[in-house]
Amino acid sequence: MIRPRITGTGSAVPEKVLTNFDLEKMVDTTDEWIVTRTGIRERRIAAEGEYTSTFAIAAAERALAAAGVKAEEIDMIVVGTLTPDFPFPATACIVQQALKATNAFCFDLSAACSGFIYALATAQKFILSGQVKKALVIGAEVLSRIVDWNDRNTCLLFGDGAGAVVLEAQEGENGILSTHMHSDGNYWEILYQKGAGSRNPASHKNVDEGLVYLTMQGNEVFKLAVRSMGEVAMEALEANGLTAADVNLFIPHQANQRIVDSVGKRLGITGERVFVNLDRYGNTSAASIPIALDEAVRAGRLKEGDLLLLDAFGGGLTWGSALVRW
């Protein structure tokens, strides 16, 4: 049986660290308030001259090195992001240029914080179709550029960075067992960026009115995230005749510690079986799962044959899961 298998992981984050104590000097908040409500202690912020592609390229290089795959062997590059370098061309094309991955077709995918799961599922389908043998799947964001640093309800949540995986067609039982994706456009207004698109194009007025920044109804997002992530995780397990007890490692989207805890409790997956790094990076949207996955791999948290569950939720609304036999 041919399965798409993750053969290499990589991640990259900015050097600049913004702590909760730094934020205390910028907005009306405290370290205790942030930690209690989110679990976040610090986040990484891109410096001038650093872009989404900066981190996507670095993460991709590390994933390729880990997999022992040359860039010219890659057939497909897909970048999950809501903060591309430009509206067009795709950030994936900029990554291709830097890597000299001349044989790959490239595109970006927009599914907000579910972007990496959606990108992984897309690459999975291309591999299963036989059209692609080796794919580079990246989640990358520079959210600090679309955050209102005067809005304490949102600015403390987000950070920058990228994670990447190399996906290869291989024979055997190990690899991606299944992926599951859902959307509900009825809730698009609870988490979105108002400006910079065709509805509110770039203008002095829209910048002055703050339309270039993301907005979020936190309480609504929380409730929908917990329910949706729990349901789509169970969907993945049930589709493969497995239960939560079979999961060796659970990597949820790193948005908020209370969401992670609530979803884990619903599933019955807690403690050491849940990988969390949001205390150091905050919510990096599409980058959060691949950054966490790379850290887990390099920390020896996964061994061959382990069952890995990935689970995400984002604006759109979008949500999805992937079940992987490592």
Side-chain angles (χ1 to χ4, degrees):
M1 177 183 293
I2 297 293
R3 287 194 190 279
R5 187 172 185 182
I6 296 171
T7 58
T9 66
S11 61
V13 296
E15 290 186 9
K16 181 181 178 181
V17 176
L18 184 71
T19 69
N20 292 346
F21 297 106
D22 294 326
L23 281 170
E24 288 182 351
K25 302 170 186 176
M26 298 166 59
V27 292
D28 182 16
T29 192
T30 66
D31 172 69
E32 181 184 11
W33 190 93
I34 297 171
V35 172
T36 300
R37 286 161 179 78
T38 71
I40 300 167
R41 297 182 181 276
E42 60 186 40
R43 67 287 295 147
R44 299 298 183 96
I45 304 297
E48 185 177 352
E50 293 181 329
Y51 320 108
T52 296
S53 62
T54 305
F55 307 108
I57 292 163
E61 290 173 336
R62 290 164 189 166
L64 288 168
V69 171
K70 296 178 180 178
E72 58 265 31
E73 297 177 58
I74 296 295
D75 304 308
M76 168 187 181
I77 301 173
V78 54
V79 176
T81 185
L82 59 83
T83 54
D85 282 23
F86 310 105
F88 73 93
T91 299
C93 291
I94 298 169
V95 173
Q96 179 198 35
Q97 177 197 38
L99 299 178
K100 297 182 173 59
T102 53
N103 296 309
F105 65 90
C106 312
F107 61 96
D108 290 354
L109 187 154
S110 178
C113 299
S114 304
F116 178 75
I117 295 292
Y118 271 55
L120 189 70
T122 302
Q124 173 206 15
K125 301 302 189 292
F126 271 102
I127 288 175
L128 291 176
S129 76
Q131 186 175 348
V132 166
K133 299 297 184 185
K134 297 179 182 180
L136 187 57
V137 182
I138 304 168
E141 305 285 10
V142 175
L143 293 160
S144 60
R145 304 275 161 82
I146 65 166
V147 165
D148 182 353
W149 289 100
N150 294 310
D151 178 9
R152 71 168 190 167
N153 295 315
T154 57
C155 72
L156 55 86
L157 298 173
F158 298 99
D160 304 333
V165 302
V166 173
L167 205 59
E168 298 188 56
Q170 293 191 358
E171 287 194 8
E173 295 300 316
N174 294 4
I176 297 177
L177 303 182
S178 65
T179 54
H180 307 266
M181 297 177 289
H182 298 276
S183 301
D184 189 345
N186 289 312
Y187 294 97
W188 70 266
E189 289 181 283
I190 71 171
L191 178 55
Y192 74 112
Q193 182 186 4
K194 291 182 178 180
S198 63
R199 187 173 296 199
N200 294 300
S203 68
H204 289 292
K205 180 176 181 291
N206 288 340
V207 171
D208 292 342
E209 292 180 358
L211 299 188
V212 294
Y213 303 124
L214 65 81
T215 61
M216 181 175 67
Q217 297 176 32
N219 291 336
E220 289 301 311
V221 170
F222 180 91
K223 291 184 290 186
L224 290 164
V226 171
R227 186 189 71 194
S228 301
M229 289 176 69
E231 289 175 353
V232 79
M234 287 305 303
E235 181 181 355
L237 292 168
E238 290 169 0
N240 292 279
L242 297 165
T243 69
D246 297 308
V247 175
N248 298 100
L249 191 65
F250 176 44
I251 302 181
H253 169 47
Q254 308 286 304
N256 180 301
Q257 187 65 54
R258 291 189 299 159
I259 292 176
V260 170
D261 292 342
S262 297
V263 173
K265 185 176 180 181
R266 281 192 173 209
L267 297 173
I269 305 175
T270 57
E272 288 297 309
R273 291 198 294 155
V274 184
F275 190 89
V276 177
N277 64 0
L278 66 87
D279 57 312
R280 291 179 288 119
Y281 301 120
N283 181 350
T284 56
S285 186
S288 77
I289 287 178
I291 290 173
L293 175 58
D294 182 50
E295 290 199 340
V297 169
R298 293 174 190 272
R301 295 286 297 274
L302 284 164
K303 64 181 185 298
E304 187 166 348
D306 278 355
L307 192 67
L308 168 68
L309 177 61
L310 309 176
D311 192 7
F313 175 92
L317 295 176
T318 62
W319 60 100
S321 63
L323 197 62
V324 180
R325 181 70 67 185
W326 197 252

